[in-house]
Amino acid sequence: MKITFTFSVLAFGLMTLSGCADKPPADKQTRLLNTLQYMESAIEDKRLDDFMDQVSDDFVSPGRGWGKKDAERLLRIRLLRNKNVHVHQSVKDINWLNDGDEQAIVTVAVAVAGTAFSLTDLPTLRGDLVRFEVTFEKVGDSYLVSQTEWRRASPADFL
């Protein structure tokens, strides 16, 4: 009985350790999509600092002349206005520049509302529908937002 228990504990320990083994690094697209997902959950959880950590210090919104601090102020005001924040994003396109992994332009449609919703609710949604063109630059193993342009979106942008 004691041998069986010892063997069981040892086997469990080995299985646990094998789960910690190095996994192959994620490909560039997976890392970029993970960044987008992390940013979405940070906004929903109102973790603005975590969200802004994914934005380059050199961030610029050329159409508006905004920098990182301007974008942070706008987001802070928007988050304070709503008790709850629900986000749905739909990545439309990822364009890797120069066939590399250093820079990508991502087209993403985003719906934001104060209550939970589904895609079927978009035509009547009382929230914001926005289409972003976001430039990500690789910094170390991470992708940071370096530039963004946006316009109002329609439910068709989510198809």
Side-chain angles (χ1 to χ4, degrees):
M1 177 88 165
K2 190 174 183 180
I3 293 174
T4 305
F5 177 75
T6 304
F7 179 74
S8 297
V9 170
L10 182 60
F12 177 75
L14 289 174
M15 287 188 319
T16 303
L17 288 175
S18 69
C20 297
D22 288 340
K23 295 178 183 176
D27 68 339
K28 63 185 181 182
Q29 184 157 328
T30 301
R31 288 194 323 264
L32 186 58
L33 291 172
N34 287 344
T35 299
L36 284 166
Q37 187 61 44
Y38 179 80
M39 293 175 81
E40 176 182 324
S41 66
I43 287 295
E44 286 185 329
D45 296 339
K46 294 187 171 191
R47 292 178 291 127
L48 186 58
D49 291 339
D50 291 344
F51 180 88
M52 293 308 295
D53 285 346
Q54 305 305 305
V55 178
S56 168
D57 290 338
D58 300 327
F59 169 82
V60 64
S61 181
R64 293 176 167 62
W66 293 349
K68 182 175 180 176
K69 287 291 182 192
D70 300 314
E72 183 177 1
R73 277 187 219 106
L74 175 68
L75 283 171
R76 191 170 304 282
I77 290 168
R78 297 294 300 237
L79 291 176
L80 286 173
R81 268 198 244 168
N82 295 299
K83 182 177 180 179
N84 297 310
V85 177
H86 299 272
V87 178
H88 177 78
Q89 65 177 327
S90 176
V91 176
K92 307 311 292 175
D93 185 44
I94 299 176
N95 179 22
W96 295 96
L97 302 180
N98 304 320
D99 293 324
D101 69 344
E102 297 296 315
Q103 193 174 37
I105 298 175
V106 179
T107 303
V108 60
V110 178
V112 181
T115 59
F117 63 94
S118 70
L119 285 178
T120 58
D121 299 326
L122 289 180
T124 60
L125 182 71
R126 291 184 46 141
D128 293 321
L129 302 179
V130 184
R131 183 177 174 113
F132 291 97
E133 299 290 326
V134 184
T135 303
F136 284 90
E137 292 190 19
K138 187 175 179 186
V139 178
D141 284 338
S142 302
Y143 286 99
L144 300 181
V145 175
S146 62
Q147 181 175 325
T148 188
E149 296 183 33
W150 64 276
R151 65 171 176 79
R152 293 242 178 252
S154 71
D157 287 313
F158 291 83
L159 299 176

